Amino acid sequence: MDRTSRYGGGVAEQQYPSDDALMGIAIEEARLAEAHGDVPVGALVVVDGRIVARRHNEREASNDPTAHAELLAVRDAAAAAESWRLEDATVVVTLEPCPMCAGALQQARVARVVYGAADMKAGACGSLYSLGSDPRLNHEFETTHCVREEECAALLTDFFAARRGN
């Protein structure tokens, strides 16, 4: 079975050649979270340049503390692949994954994580922790950081400023 058929053809048939282009789509996905009061974080799972899953935060909408964009996208990709092993996948996310999400990405055996804004309070892919590159764990993943960082950070800054009434 080839990679594309493993994921049921994917969410998008178009191939995206760059991290920059993919992050633009993750930013669009993040904006959907704001519609239901969630922190604007968007995530994609990409295989061979094709988006196989895309989600945004849904903690407020679902009253689920684990409904982070990355986890939801990985769940969808694993369901489509009919396998929990996503060894050929890249996860693109607007905010650096937290320890819960980085742990799930490590457990899913993703190949690579690309993130936009660093999270100095809870980032687990280089800022505070480095779960993707810890040799004590049974899997490591490549990390690319700060892709469209200013745009991703502005989503969060604007969201929290509006909530505070600034």
Side-chain angles (χ1 to χ4, degrees):
M1 178 184 293
D2 70 34
R3 290 180 184 175
T4 303
S5 62
R6 178 176 173 218
Y7 291 91
V11 172
E13 290 303 313
Q14 179 178 350
Q15 280 196 292
Y16 296 91
S18 72
D19 293 344
D20 189 79
L22 289 162
M23 188 61 73
I25 296 164
I27 289 168
E28 290 172 14
E29 189 67 30
R31 287 186 177 118
L32 298 174
E34 288 183 281
H36 46 77
D38 269 292
V39 175
V41 177
L44 315 173
V45 177
V46 181
V47 176
D48 293 331
R50 297 186 191 284
I51 299 168
V52 298
R54 61 185 286 176
R55 295 293 289 269
H56 56 272
N57 273 359
E58 296 182 13
R59 291 186 312 169
E60 300 296 331
S62 65
N63 292 314
D64 179 354
T66 69
H68 289 202
E70 306 94 301
L71 292 184
L72 298 172
V74 163
R75 287 176 189 157
D76 289 352
E82 297 181 344
S83 174
W84 60 269
R85 294 177 188 265
L86 303 177
E87 296 159 329
D88 50 356
T90 294
V91 174
V92 178
V93 59
T94 57
L95 179 64
E96 180 179 4
C98 70
M100 175 180 68
C101 292
L105 298 172
Q106 188 268 339
Q107 290 296 309
R109 311 292 195 268
V110 301
R112 184 168 172 248
V113 173
V114 176
Y115 70 82
D119 185 347
M120 300 312 288
K121 293 181 181 178
C125 290
S127 292
L128 190 58
Y129 305 105
S130 296
L131 292 180
S133 60
D134 188 332
R136 297 170 296 179
L137 300 174
N138 64 343
H139 174 76
E140 294 179 51
F141 53 79
E142 178 185 343
T143 302
T144 301
H145 56 88
C146 302
V147 175
R148 297 177 74 162
E149 180 180 26
E150 289 180 15
E151 287 175 80
C152 293
L155 283 172
L156 297 162
T157 301
D158 294 348
F159 174 79
F160 287 112
R163 291 192 64 122
R164 288 188 302 268
N166 297 344

